[in-house]
Amino acid sequence: MCGIVGIVGHGPVNQRLYDALTVLQHRGQDAAGIMTLHGDELALRKDSGLVRDVFQQKHMLALKGNIGIGHVRYPTAGCDSASEAQPFYVNAPYGIGLAHNGNLTNADELAEALWREERRHLNTSSDSEALLNIFASELQRVASSHLTPADVFGAIDRLYRRLRGAYAVVTLIVGHGIVGFRDPNGIRPLVLGRRQSPKGEEWMLASESVALDLVGFELVRDVVPGEAIYITTSGEMHSMVVDATRKHTPCVFEYVYFARPDSIIDNISVHKARMRMGEKLAEKIRRLKPDHDIDVVIPIPDTSRTSAMQLALALGIEYREGFVKNRYIGRTFIMPGQEMRQKSVRSKLNAIPLEFRGRNVLLVDDSIVRGTTSAQIIELAREAGARRVYFASAAPPVRYPNVYGIDMASALELVAAGRSDEEVARLIGADWLVYQDLEDLAQAVRHDKARVTEFDTSCFSGEYVTGDVTPEYLTSVEERRADAARERRRAAADGAPLAIVETGIPAGAAAGTAGSAVRAVRIL
C-alpha cells in the first residue's frame, strides 16, 4: 500500500506535494519521493524514511516548478530497498516520472516481455518500474512533438490490455503535463481535486481526499475505474473512461484499516463506514452473548476508535481509553520483520491500570492479521489488572494473502488461516473472541449514494476479483513475502548507494528526438 499525489498548478508545487505526502504518511512509512518539473529540467528527491526525514530545506528549495508528483511507499513483496523508492523515471519518450499504488499480478510476465520484445532493461524488481516502461513503450508508438489527449488515452487503452492487478497511478510527462489512471476494478483509490487560483484552475490527483483538504483543493470526484485523467501544463483537464468492462470492486480493507477516517473514497465516508462496523459488531455480540458480562469497551488506537465507540454506544456499555500511544512509533502492521513488529508493540502502547483493574474488558481492534500484536496487547491488559479480556475484530478473519498492494503475510503467517475462532482466541490469549461477519462488513461499508455494491474481499474470502490469481502465483508471493527472505534482501542491499539512473531506454532511441526530449534529471 502506498500514497500518491500529483499537482498541476500556476505556482510552485513543492510545498503542497510535501504537505500532501505528510497527510498520506499512514499509507507508507518506508520511503518517500517528490519529482518536479521546471522548464525542461526535472528535479527528483527520494530516499528511505519518513517524509519529514527525506526532505530537508535544501531539497525543497531545489524542487522547483509548477508541476510535480509524489509518493510514500509501504514495502510490498520484493520492493523494500532504497533503490526502489518512487517516483521512477524513464527518459524516453519525452521523459516520464511515475508513482504507483497497488500491485501488478503479471509483473514477471511484463518484465520478461519488456526485455524480449522491446529491449527495455529494468534495474529493480519493482512492478512499478515495469508499469512505467510499459506506459513509456505505448507512448513511444505515438511519440511526436505534440502529444494530444487522444494519443494519451490510446496509449492507456493499450496499457490496460497488458496490465493485470490493482493500480492507481500518477505520471509526469515532460513538456505535456500529468496523467493519472485507475485500474478497471477500482481496487486502489484515486481522487481528483480542483482549486481556483488568481491565475486559473489548478488540479490535483491523490490517493485520498484528505490530501486535497490539507492543501486547499476541493474534491471534485473519484477517478472512476478504468478512467484516465490528462492535465496539461496549462491546466486543461481531459478525461476518458478507457476500460469500462469490469465490475467496480474497491478494496474493503481501505475502509477497515488503511484510509484515514476523515477521507471519502468512492463517495463513502471512511468514518461512517467504521461507525456502521461497530454497530454490526454490537448486533453480533448481542446474538452470541445476550447475557455478556462486559464492563468496559477499550479501543486499540487508532483505527479502531470509531468502531469501538459505536459498539459501546449500541451495547450501552462504558467506553474508555485504556491505552496511551507513543505517536513516534510507526504502524505495527506496516513494519517489516517479525522481530521488529514484536519489539514495537510495547514501545508503542502503554496501558492505564485504572481502566483495567478488576474489570471484564472488551478490546476492539480493526483486524487481526498475524496475531502477534493482539497477543501482546492482551498481555498488557492482563498485566494492568483486567479480570477477563475479550477481543473483538471489526473485520472478519484474515485467512488469505492480499495480492493487490497490501503486503499481508503469507497464509502460513496469518493466525486465522486454517484455524477456528476458538483456536485463534487460545493463540492470542483472549477469554473470548468475536469477528465481524463478512456480509455485515460489506453492508457496513456500502450505502445507496456510493453506487458500490461489491468489494474486493480477497484476504477474507479467498476470492480474487481480477480472476487471474492461481495457486502457483500465491505460492510465489508467499516465497517473496516470507520475513526471512525479506531480511536477506534487505541485508544484501544494506550499505548500497541509492543509484537513480535513467532506465528503460529502448534500443535505437536517439538524442534530440521526441523519444529523448528532457536534458537531465537533477538528483537531489
Side-chain angles (χ1 to χ4, degrees), residues 1-5 24 27-28 70-74 76 86 98-104 127-128 131 165-170 181-183 186-190 206-208 251 254 258 265 404-406:
M1 187 67 63
C2 301
I4 61 175
V5 59
L24 294 175
R27 299 187 68 86
H71 186 269
V72 287
R73 186 186 73 186
Y74 154 69
T76 50
Q86 297 184 41
L98 176 142
H100 164 221
N101 173 33
N103 183 60
L104 303 182
D127 62 332
S128 302
L131 196 162
Y167 46 93
V169 177
V170 289
F181 52 93
R182 190 179 182 192
D183 70 78
I187 299 172
R188 300 271 71 90
L190 189 64
S207 292
E208 295 184 33
C251 175
E254 289 278 357
F258 267 105
I265 298 175
Y404 298 131
I406 303 176

Side-chain angles (χ1 to χ4, degrees), residues 108-139:
D108 293 342
E109 174 188 321
L110 292 171
E112 182 182 348
L114 279 166
W115 172 248
R116 185 183 65 250
E117 300 171 10
E118 296 162 75
R119 296 296 184 262
R120 284 181 174 265
H121 171 71
L122 303 181
N123 288 308
T124 72
S125 60
S126 171
D127 62 332
S128 302
E129 190 189 5
L131 196 162
L132 167 61
N133 277 272
I134 293 290
F135 181 52
S137 180
E138 296 301 343
L139 274 182

Side-chain angles (χ1 to χ4, degrees), residues 120-328:
R120 284 181 174 265
H121 171 71
L122 303 181
N123 288 308
T124 72
S125 60
S126 171
D127 62 332
S128 302
E129 190 189 5
L131 196 162
L132 167 61
N133 277 272
I134 293 290
F135 181 52
S137 180
E138 296 301 343
L139 274 182
Q140 187 81 41
R141 299 175 191 270
V142 297
S144 65
S145 59
H146 181 63
L147 189 65
T148 68
D151 293 334
V152 172
F153 298 142
I156 292 175
D157 180 34
R158 292 189 296 273
L159 180 82
Y160 279 147
R161 297 177 195 178
R162 299 178 68 173
L163 303 184
R164 296 198 300 270
Y167 46 93
V169 177
V170 289
T171 71
L172 189 162
I173 305 175
V174 174
H176 294 88
I178 281 179
V179 177
F181 52 93
R182 190 179 182 192
D183 70 78
N185 287 100
I187 299 172
R188 300 271 71 90
L190 189 64
V191 297
L192 175 68
R194 178 176 54 208
R195 176 180 177 272
Q196 190 67 40
S197 78
K199 295 181 180 180
E201 283 187 325
E202 299 179 324
W203 296 92
M204 179 173 174
L205 291 159
S207 292
E208 295 184 33
S209 63
V210 67
L212 308 179
D213 300 337
L214 181 70
V215 297
F217 280 72
E218 177 189 358
L219 174 63
V220 175
R221 60 180 176 84
D222 295 273
V223 176
V224 302
E227 183 183 22
I229 304 286
Y230 174 36
I231 306 166
T232 67
T233 54
S234 60
E236 297 176 1
M237 195 277 285
H238 306 270
S239 67
M240 180 178 177
V241 178
V242 180
D243 187 339
T245 63
R246 289 170 247 182
K247 289 183 179 179
H248 185 187
T249 51
C251 175
V252 77
F253 214 75
E254 289 278 357
Y255 303 94
V256 170
Y257 175 78
F258 267 105
R260 277 182 44 143
D262 44 347
S263 281
I264 297 173
I265 298 175
D266 288 318
N267 204 32
I268 297 172
S269 164
V270 176
H271 175 70
K272 287 188 176 180
R274 290 178 183 168
M275 287 177 65
R276 293 189 290 265
M277 289 177 208
E279 293 168 357
K280 292 288 185 182
L281 202 49
E283 291 172 9
K284 184 172 183 180
I285 291 172
R286 253 195 235 102
R287 290 196 311 269
L288 296 178
K289 283 190 173 290
D291 300 321
H292 66 78
D293 59 353
I294 302 167
D295 296 318
V296 63
V297 173
I298 293 178
I300 297 170
D302 286 312
T303 46
S304 65
R305 278 198 175 101
T306 307
S307 296
M309 282 192 288
Q310 204 66 15
L311 183 154
L313 181 64
L315 289 179
I317 299 172
E318 185 179 21
Y319 169 89
R320 306 292 284 182
E321 291 284 342
F323 292 105
V324 176
K325 183 177 180 180
N326 180 352
R327 300 191 181 279
Y328 302 96

Side-chain angles (χ1 to χ4, degrees), residues 334-349:
I334 294 179
M335 288 188 172
Q338 184 73 355
E339 185 178 354
M340 189 181 296
R341 283 189 293 269
Q342 290 175 340
K343 285 182 179 179
S344 70
V345 174
R346 285 183 175 269
S347 58
K348 176 181 176 180
L349 293 178

